[in-house]
């Protein structure tokens, strides 16, 4: 049963200046050659299986691992870390006689650490796998052998099959559109997942296939498509359809890409061309650039430093060992007779002292390996994952309106959030809502629209005036936050209030005929499609852009309701200013000349019921005023004044004009236009553009519209806090300079008292050269002009700094797109950066996506400090990936920016909490955690060195094998993880209240080399105190009641007990914010050591070796053991305690000051 088809705009009535209609071009001549060899048999997929074509299936996998490569690939990832390679080598060597301990005691911790990290990788990859399975098992209707459409899974689709996709469904593969529910085969597509744009794209089928509208019509359908091979280019497609013995060119306008969604169209039929990983979206699915935090990079250097220290002390020990071994037989006497130097192994042979020293060196490398923290990496991984969970679950960063929480898309950069020096931000959709609202207009030289915008209020504050209220015409209605609001229901896209023209009052205005024409243009000149809600009868509009939807809604609210669109008719219900009655008028749609970035305007040609031919046009002021006729400039000067005022208020401007066409003029033009449209020559678009330009002349000005893209809630306060935290903020926008500057003031990016430095090429000299067209002269003059302006800016800053030595002056730099292009070239790049970096705020206007990425790269490379980029659209992806941290706004411009980001938030204001709270905490926690790790391992490792020196560098470890193996894994690891997850120097409220606390991260005070080396030195001091105080207190003292002195086992247990107590109590001293978890982990780790001693010591001697009942029978009952433990632990903590007391009293850090103030 054939389904009903809608009558839409015939494609022949619409011309897009982006090559809408396909034509044979030079690329089509490449079909069949290399790069253009794909052959698709439509409605006959079996031919691909039988022939030489082996096309991929449609199942897609984005996982990093497979069942087969998980183990080797994950192991490779683990052993890219130099510390893990070291421990693997030690584990292997431990099976040899060189080892100072058993192989199992070395291998077990390594397996635990590697296994835990691999398990984490596996779990994360399995989650991705489940998402892939869900996508692959989606359902779609496919044409089968019984000549009907039946449901199948996406993954089962094959090249050449015919599919039916219904409204609001995603396209399962890359398809060539054959027909749709519209008669002429058009459909509307949302490409948000591909390019981040929410505006609908128009696609169309070839006329030759648009009649295929039901199952029966496909029964005998057979065709061949020859096209380009799979590639990543989203914006081009070259192919040819061979059907009924004829060839038809295919272009991107005929293609429906996987990942996009069918909108405003009941259904489409298409043929599968590319499947699975051959689709364009998957060809673009490259892995994001690998980013590592600066702390992680520095940690590698610290590991290398520790390796150097390890080699040094091993070498020193080996030298002394060689000397002592050589002396064993000096003078024919055996100095250390108990070693039996006359009958010994190569390890202690005085005759081969050099070889013995070398073998000792290898043993020492293993023995002192505890200087390198084996569990550091896995502990940091665990901590960062838990930190990310807290970020994701933070209710203060949850946007209830859109049901969007904050999301840490990677856990690798948590601490980097606390070190941001420069933020580079997009404006539209990031600082603003990207929700366009019609707020003001100028018609026939009269300004309409009351109330004030946020930018206007900021302008008033800057000038010292009272915030502007409504205009002279009295009204009890205001248009924005803080103003009175009328009882009307809030309408999305419409925030216009003016009783002079609302509620039909416009008919009483002096220029009511002009007002009528103005709103008719808004109601007719567009490509929007009305959608009627069957339940409520309300009309909504599907438009290609938010601006266009706002125009149509504004016209409807004033009384010009766009009701219906067919292939040739636009139906308007409007108020007639003469009869003052609502009438429905039909306009015959003759031509639509679409908007493009180069034309900067859009026009429609219609015929009204009075048989008049009208050209209705809207466009940017720069493109429109030059097209006005002499008689059409009646309101030009007044309109330009209003436009300037609107631009200052941060509003987006569109000029409205029209003209009446003569029958002969239009007929002659239409013939030429049709010839140009159907031309197959290479200059077809140039011909069409010239003809459009020809008809869009001698226009009559009606007025201008002003659309507001409102600032997001909390943006000014957020920017002010970030500035107080010492963070520099750059805004990179495509807006005009006037708009960008005024929005800069509205959002506190530019502040009162801040001096502006403006770099622009908008000068009479440059304009004169541009008119002459001499490109070389323009480039040279532009270069000299920018160089001069940069130099003047530097002089201004130097003079102000000299004159205002006591009072600091802030500077704001504003630069336009043309100037930026020259400033980023090698000759000026350095001087431009030197100027920009001194300024507190920088605004780059008219910046392209490429320029955004280049500016981000410049800032990152030149400062060497952490940069953060934030944006919401596909045009921001470059700068998000270029920055150290990319933050995506999950706004209305799709998810492209979010997918390319490291963190995502729903509103710009949440950046304040993300950086000042979570960033500060994560930076502090990770810094403290790493420093403490190195402290405890040095404190432990150096006790081994001191003991070996005491034992003539014999290679004898001070502790039992399993004591050493469990040190990092069980006795000290959990308190460090608790520190990394829960510690807070100050509360979240105080982090926001005192933003200068963030400067600790910007200046990297907590992970500087002096601080790292200070913690290492503290570890060495602790090891000296623990070893020497323990040995001096216990050796040669009666330990048992029978008078026996301390033996090797007891000394080892006592020293180890002191180490466990000291490092855990050191943790307790370092923590600022205790929770029950931290108490449990710290005191539980110490208690676990005693439990381990009892349990392990109760095992048979062949298993427990030196630990056999050493605690229960020797240590526990000895008061000396407990007194020494208390004495040594207190002494080892005194240096750090004294240092912190001195620092807090005389040289406090920022958090110390806040803590003191809080107390």
């Amino acid at each position: 049963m054939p389904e009903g088809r809608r009558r839409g705009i015939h494609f022949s009535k619409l011309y897009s200046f982006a090559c809408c209609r396909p034509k044979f071009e030079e690329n089509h001549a490449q079909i069949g050659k290399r790069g253009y060899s794909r052959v698709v048999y439509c409605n006959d997929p079996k031919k691909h299986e039988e022939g030489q074509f082996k096309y991929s299936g449609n199942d897609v996998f984005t996982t990093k691992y497979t069942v087969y490569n998980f183990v080797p690939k994950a192991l490779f990832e683990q052993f890219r870390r130099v510390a893990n390679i070291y421990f693997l080598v030690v584990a292997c060597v431990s099976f040899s006689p060189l080892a100072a301990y058993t192989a199992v005691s070395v291998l077990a911790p390594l397996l635990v650490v590697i296994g835990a990290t691999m398990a984490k990788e596996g779990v994360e990859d399995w989650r991705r796998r489940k998402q892939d399975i869900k996508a692959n098992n989606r359902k779609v209707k496919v044409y089968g052998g019984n000549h009907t459409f039946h449901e199948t899974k996406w993954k089962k689709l094959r090249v050449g099959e015919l599919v039916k996709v219904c409204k609001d469904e995603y396209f399962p593969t890359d398809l060539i559109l054959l027909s749709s529910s519209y008669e002429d085969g058009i459909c509307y597509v949302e490409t948000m997942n591909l390019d981040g744009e929410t505006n609908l794209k128009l696609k169309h089928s070839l006329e030759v296939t648009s009649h295929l509208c039901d199952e029966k019509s496909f029964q005998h359908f057979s065709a061949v498509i020859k096209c380009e091979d799979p590639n990543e280019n989203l914006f081009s497609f070259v192919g040819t359809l061979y059907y009924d013995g004829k060839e038809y060119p295919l272009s991107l306008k005929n293609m429906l890409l996987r990942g996009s969604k069918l909108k405003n169209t009941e259904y489409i039929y298409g043929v599968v061309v590319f499947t699975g990983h051959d689709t364009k979206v998957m060809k673009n699915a490259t892995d994001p650039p690998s980013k590592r935090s600066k702390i992680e990079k520095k940690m590698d250097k610290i590991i290398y430093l520790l390796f150097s220290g390890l080699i040094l002390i091993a070498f020193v020990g080996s030298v002394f060992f060689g000397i002592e071994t050589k002396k064993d037989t000096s003078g024919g006497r055996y100095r250390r007779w108990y070693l039996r130097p006359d009958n010994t192994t190569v390890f202690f042979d005085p005759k081969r002292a050099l070889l013995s020293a070398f073998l000792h060196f290898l043993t020492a490398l293993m023995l002192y390996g505890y200087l390198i923290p084996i569990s550091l990496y896995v502990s940091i991984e665990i901590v960062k994952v838990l930190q990310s969970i807290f970020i994701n679950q933070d209710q203060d960063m949850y946007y209830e309106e859109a049901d969007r929480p904050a999301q840490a898309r990677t856990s690798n950069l948590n601490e980097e959030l606390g070190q941001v020096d420069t933020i580079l931000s997009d404006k539209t959709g990031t600082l603003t809502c990207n929700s366009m609202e019609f707020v003001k207009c100028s018609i026939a030289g009269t300004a309409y629209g009351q109330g004030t915008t946020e930018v206007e209020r900021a302008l008033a504050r800057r000038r010292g005036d009272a915030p502007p209220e409504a205009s002279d015409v009295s009204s009890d209605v205001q248009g924005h936050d803080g103003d009175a609001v009328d009882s009307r229901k809030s309408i999305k896209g419409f925030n216009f209030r003016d009783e002079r023209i609302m509620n039909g009052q416009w008919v009483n205005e002096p220029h009511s005929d002009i007002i009528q024409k103005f709103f008719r243009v808004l109601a007719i000149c567009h490509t929007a499609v009305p959608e009627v809600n069957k339940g409520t009868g309300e009309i909504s509009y599907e438009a290609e852009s938010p601006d266009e939807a706002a125009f149509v809604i504004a016209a409807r609210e004033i009384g010009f309701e766009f009701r219906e669109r067919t292939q040739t008719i636009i139906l308007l219900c409007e108020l007639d200013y003469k009869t003052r009655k609502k009438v429905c008028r039909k306009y015959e749609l003759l031509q639509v000349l679409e908007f493009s970035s180069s034309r900067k305007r859009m026009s429609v040609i219609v015929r009204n019921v009075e048989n008049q031919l009208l050209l209705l046009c809207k466009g940017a002021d720069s493109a429109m005023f030059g097209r006005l006729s002499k008689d059409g400039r009646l309101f030009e000067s007044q309109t330009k004044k209003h436009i300037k005022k609107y631009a200052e208020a941060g509003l987006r401007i569109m000029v409205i004009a029209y003209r009446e066409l003569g029958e002969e003029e239009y007929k002659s033009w239409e013939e030429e236009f049709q010839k140009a449209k159907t031309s197959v020559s290479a200059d077809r678009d140039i011909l069409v553009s010239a003809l459009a330009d020809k008809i869009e002349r001698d226009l009559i000005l009606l007025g201008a519209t002003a659309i507001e893209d409102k600032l997001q809630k909390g943006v000014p306060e957020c920017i002010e806090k970030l500035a107080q935290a010492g963070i520099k903020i750059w805004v990179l926008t495509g807006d005009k300079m006037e708009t960008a500057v005024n929005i800069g003031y509205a959002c506190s990016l530019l502040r009162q008292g801040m001096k502006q430095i403006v770099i622009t090429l908008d000068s009479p000299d440059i304009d004169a050269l541009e008119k002459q067209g001499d490109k070389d002269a323009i480039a040279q003059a532009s270069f000299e002009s920018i160089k001069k302006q940069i130099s003047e800016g530097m002089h201004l800053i130097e003079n102000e700094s000299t004159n205002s030595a006591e009072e600091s002056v802030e500077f704001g730099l504003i630069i336009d797109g043309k100037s930026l292009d020259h400033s980023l070239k090698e000759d000026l790049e350095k001087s431009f950066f030197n100027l920009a970096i001194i300024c507190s705020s920088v605004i780059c206007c008219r910046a392209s996506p490429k320029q955004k990425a280049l500016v981000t790269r410049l800032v990152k490379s030149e400062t060497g400090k952490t940069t953060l980029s934030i944006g919401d659209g596909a045009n921001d992806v470059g700068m998000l990936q270029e920055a150290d941290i990319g933050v995506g706004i999950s706004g209305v411009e799709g998810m492209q920016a979010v997918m390319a980001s490291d963190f995502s938030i729903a509103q710009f204001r949440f950046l304040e909490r993300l950086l000042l709270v979570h960033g500060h905490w994560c930076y502090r926690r990770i810094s403290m955690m790493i420093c403490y790790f190195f402290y405890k391992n040095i404190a432990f490792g150096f006790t081994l060195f001191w003991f070996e020196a005491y034992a003539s560098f014999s290679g004898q470890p001070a502790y039992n094998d399993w004591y050493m193996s469990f040190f990092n894994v069980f006795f000290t690891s959990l308190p460090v993880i608790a520190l990394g997850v829960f510690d807070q120097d100050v509360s979240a409220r105080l982090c926001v209240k005192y933003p200068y606390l963030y400067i600790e991260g910007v200046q990297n005070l907590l992970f500087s080399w002096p601080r790292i080396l200070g913690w290492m030195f503290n570890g060495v001091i602790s090891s000296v105190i623990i070893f020497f105080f323990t040995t001096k207190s216990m050796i040669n003292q009666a330990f048992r009641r029978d008078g026996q002195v301390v033996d090797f086992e007891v000394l080892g247990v006592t020293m180890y007990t002191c180490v466990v107590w000291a490092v855990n109590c050191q943790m307790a001293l370092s923590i600022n914010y205790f929770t029950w978890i931290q108490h449990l982990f710290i005191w539980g780790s110490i208690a676990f050591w005693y439990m381990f001693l009892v349990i392990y010591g109760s095992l048979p001697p062949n298993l427990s070796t030196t630990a056999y009942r050493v605690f229960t029978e020797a240590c526990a009952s000895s008061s000396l053991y407990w007194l020494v433990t208390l004495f040594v632990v207190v002494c080892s903590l005194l240096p750090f305690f004294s240092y912190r007391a001195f620092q807090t009293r005389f040289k406090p850090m920022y958090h110390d000051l806040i803590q003191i103030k809080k107390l």
Side-chain angles (χ1 to χ4, degrees), residues 1024-1074:
V1024 169
I1025 292 172
I1026 290 170
F1027 176 78
F1028 288 102
F1029 280 32
T1030 303
T1031 54
K1032 295 299 180 184
S1033 302
M1034 298 190 77
I1035 292 179
N1036 300 325
Q1037 298 290 330
F1039 185 72
R1040 302 192 185 188
R1041 290 179 181 178
D1042 59 2
Q1044 286 188 30
V1045 294
V1046 170
D1047 58 14
F1048 164 72
E1049 290 86 352
V1050 171
L1051 180 64
V1053 167
T1054 308
M1055 271 205 304
Y1056 196 93
T1057 302
C1058 293
V1059 171
V1060 171
W1061 269 97
V1063 297
N1064 280 290
C1065 289
Q1066 178 73 65
M1067 169 64 69
L1069 284 177
S1070 303
I1071 286 175
N1072 293 282
Y1073 178 76
F1074 270 100

Side-chain angles (χ1 to χ4, degrees), residues 856-1145:
T856 305
R857 183 185 300 171
L858 174 67
V859 176
K860 182 174 75 170
S861 61
E862 290 293 333
T863 61
K865 295 182 179 179
T866 303
T867 56
L868 180 148
S869 287
I870 180 168
D872 72 319
N875 60 334
D876 302 317
V877 169
M879 73 171 185
L880 292 182
Q881 293 187 336
E882 190 65 54
D884 293 303
I885 307 170
V887 177
I889 299 282
S890 51
V892 300
E893 280 200 31
M895 299 298 286
Q896 194 82 346
V898 170
M899 297 301 288
S901 68
D902 305 302
F903 299 87
S904 72
I905 52 178
Q907 295 273 286
F908 184 87
R909 69 177 186 271
F910 297 147
L911 192 63
E912 177 185 325
R913 186 170 177 87
L914 184 66
L915 298 187
L916 300 188
V917 178
H918 289 285
H920 172 71
W921 283 349
C922 290
Y923 166 71
R924 177 179 179 78
R925 289 164 178 171
I926 295 292
S927 299
M928 284 288 298
M929 180 181 172
I930 295 171
C931 287
Y932 175 79
F933 244 108
F934 292 128
Y935 154 77
K936 73 182 181 68
N937 276 64
I938 287 174
F940 176 63
F942 265 86
T943 59
L944 292 168
F945 177 72
W946 305 130
F947 180 82
E948 209 207 352
Y950 184 79
S952 299
F953 295 100
S954 60
Q956 172 66 47
Y959 312 116
N960 181 283
D961 298 354
W962 288 103
Y963 297 175
M964 294 190 288
S965 297
F966 284 3
F967 178 78
N968 279 312
V969 179
F970 294 114
F971 302 140
T972 59
S973 60
L974 290 180
V976 193
I977 292 172
L979 167 76
V981 176
F982 298 109
D983 192 39
Q984 299 175 13
D985 52 348
V986 297
S987 66
R989 182 181 63 83
L990 292 175
C991 283
V992 176
K993 185 178 179 181
Y994 302 107
Y996 62 80
L997 178 64
Y998 188 82
I999 295 172
E1000 288 186 345
V1002 177
Q1003 297 177 352
N1004 198 22
L1005 298 178
L1006 303 180
F1007 204 65
S1008 60
W1009 279 112
R1011 190 175 180 87
I1012 295 164
L1013 295 174
W1015 272 98
M1016 290 181 173
F1017 181 69
N1018 185 30
V1020 174
I1021 294 295
S1022 295
S1023 71
V1024 169
I1025 292 172
I1026 290 170
F1027 176 78
F1028 288 102
F1029 280 32
T1030 303
T1031 54
K1032 295 299 180 184
S1033 302
M1034 298 190 77
I1035 292 179
N1036 300 325
Q1037 298 290 330
F1039 185 72
R1040 302 192 185 188
R1041 290 179 181 178
D1042 59 2
Q1044 286 188 30
V1045 294
V1046 170
D1047 58 14
F1048 164 72
E1049 290 86 352
V1050 171
L1051 180 64
V1053 167
T1054 308
M1055 271 205 304
Y1056 196 93
T1057 302
C1058 293
V1059 171
V1060 171
W1061 269 97
V1063 297
N1064 280 290
C1065 289
Q1066 178 73 65
M1067 169 64 69
L1069 284 177
S1070 303
I1071 286 175
N1072 293 282
Y1073 178 76
F1074 270 100
T1075 64
W1076 66 267
I1077 296 176
Q1078 283 155 314
H1079 280 296
L1080 175 66
F1081 284 175
I1082 291 173
W1083 313 122
S1085 295
I1086 296 171
F1088 184 67
W1089 157 240
Y1090 290 114
M1091 291 167 57
F1092 171 78
L1093 266 180
V1094 173
I1095 296 168
Y1096 182 53
S1098 64
L1099 297 177
N1102 62 323
L1103 295 176
S1104 57
T1105 61
T1106 58
Y1108 183 68
R1109 296 188 178 179
V1110 69
F1111 181 71
T1112 54
E1113 293 187 359
C1115 297
S1117 58
S1118 171
S1119 57
L1120 181 61
Y1121 168 78
W1122 298 106
L1123 286 172
V1124 167
T1125 301
L1126 177 63
F1127 172 69
V1128 171
V1129 169
V1130 170
C1131 290
S1132 66
L1133 295 175
L1134 276 175
F1136 177 80
F1137 183 83
S1138 304
Y1139 168 75
R1140 281 294 292 144
F1142 176 84
Q1143 185 188 47
T1144 306
R1145 178 68 180 85

Side-chain angles (χ1 to χ4, degrees), residues 258 278 352 691 698 701 765:
R258 179 182 175 128
D278 286 344
R352 292 181 287 178
L691 283 165
D698 300 325
L701 177 66
D765 295 340

Side-chain angles (χ1 to χ4, degrees), residues 219-249:
Q219 189 169 345
H220 302 292
F221 173 71
S222 179
V224 176
I225 294 174
K226 294 183 179 180
C227 64
E228 63 188 20
D229 293 336
N231 61 71
E232 72 282 355
N233 195 334
L234 290 170
F235 306 106
S236 75
F237 175 76
V238 176
T240 303
L241 176 73
Y242 297 85
Y243 180 54
D244 281 347
K246 294 182 179 178
E247 299 179 16
Y248 302 92

Side-chain angles (χ1 to χ4, degrees), residues 286-311:
T286 54
D287 293 330
S290 178
K291 295 182 180 180
R292 296 179 70 206
S293 70
K294 288 179 172 56
I295 284 183
E296 192 175 344
K297 292 174 184 175
K298 184 179 274 191
M299 194 167 71
D300 288 346
K301 295 177 183 176
I302 299 170
I303 294 289
Y304 289 128
L305 179 65
L306 288 178
F307 269 126
S308 303
L310 169 62
I311 293 168

Side-chain angles (χ1 to χ4, degrees), residues 650-870:
L651 302 174
R652 299 160 74 103
I653 315 299
M654 195 71 80
V655 173
I656 309 299
Y658 87 106
R659 69 173 287 209
E660 190 172 340
L661 302 174
E663 287 288 346
E664 290 300 320
E665 179 190 7
Y666 174 70
K667 190 175 180 181
S668 170
W669 176 85
E670 186 186 29
E671 286 179 7
E672 291 183 64
F673 192 64
Q674 289 298 334
K675 278 183 185 178
K677 282 203 295 182
T678 54
S679 168
V680 293
S681 62
D683 58 351
R684 183 181 71 113
D685 280 344
I686 297 172
L687 292 172
V688 171
S689 182
L691 283 165
D693 184 75
K694 180 181 177 182
I695 198 76
E696 293 169 328
R697 292 279 177 183
D698 300 325
L699 302 176
I700 297 170
L701 177 66
L702 297 174
T705 61
I707 299 283
E708 181 186 18
D709 187 3
K710 293 179 70 174
L711 280 176
Q712 289 182 15
K713 180 183 175 183
V715 166
E717 296 82 1
C718 175
I719 288 179
E720 199 165 342
K721 285 283 186 186
L722 295 174
Q724 289 172 15
I727 301 173
K728 301 178 184 68
I729 302 174
W730 295 33
V731 170
L732 313 175
T733 177
D735 280 345
K736 289 182 179 179
M737 185 175 285
E738 298 85 356
T739 306
V741 167
N742 287 304
I743 284 185
Y745 277 107
C747 65
S748 299
L749 185 66
L750 300 175
R751 296 172 285 279
Q752 291 186 28
M754 182 180 280
K755 293 188 179 294
Q756 290 183 22
I757 299 170
V758 180
I759 298 177
T760 178
L761 289 175
D762 188 11
S763 67
D765 295 340
I766 302 294
D767 290 342
L769 287 171
E770 285 180 348
K771 287 177 182 176
Q772 294 173 14
D774 188 342
K775 292 184 179 180
D776 293 335
I778 294 169
Q780 184 60 33
S782 300
F783 176 83
E784 294 297 334
S785 174
I786 294 165
K787 187 176 179 181
K788 181 182 176 185
Q789 290 177 71
I790 291 173
S791 177
E792 289 173 351
M794 291 297 291
H795 286 311
L796 175 65
I797 292 172
E798 288 170 6
N799 293 336
E800 288 292 339
S801 301
T802 306
N803 298 334
S804 310
E806 297 179 2
E807 192 176 320
S808 62
V809 180
E810 287 188 310
F811 293 90
L813 175 66
I814 300 108
I815 183 169
D816 63 23
K818 287 182 181 177
S819 304
L820 185 62
D821 201 31
H822 289 282
S823 299
L824 292 174
K825 290 178 180 174
E826 194 173 337
D827 296 336
L828 287 173
E829 188 179 61
K830 191 76 176 177
S831 55
F832 165 68
F833 172 77
N834 290 336
L835 173 63
I837 204 64
I838 300 172
C839 299
S840 301
S841 301
V842 179
I843 299 178
C844 301
C845 313
R846 297 292 193 192
S848 67
K850 185 179 179 182
Q851 285 178 330
K852 289 181 179 183
L854 289 173
V855 169
T856 305
R857 183 185 300 171
L858 174 67
V859 176
K860 182 174 75 170
S861 61
E862 290 293 333
T863 61
K865 295 182 179 179
T866 303
T867 56
L868 180 148
S869 287
I870 180 168

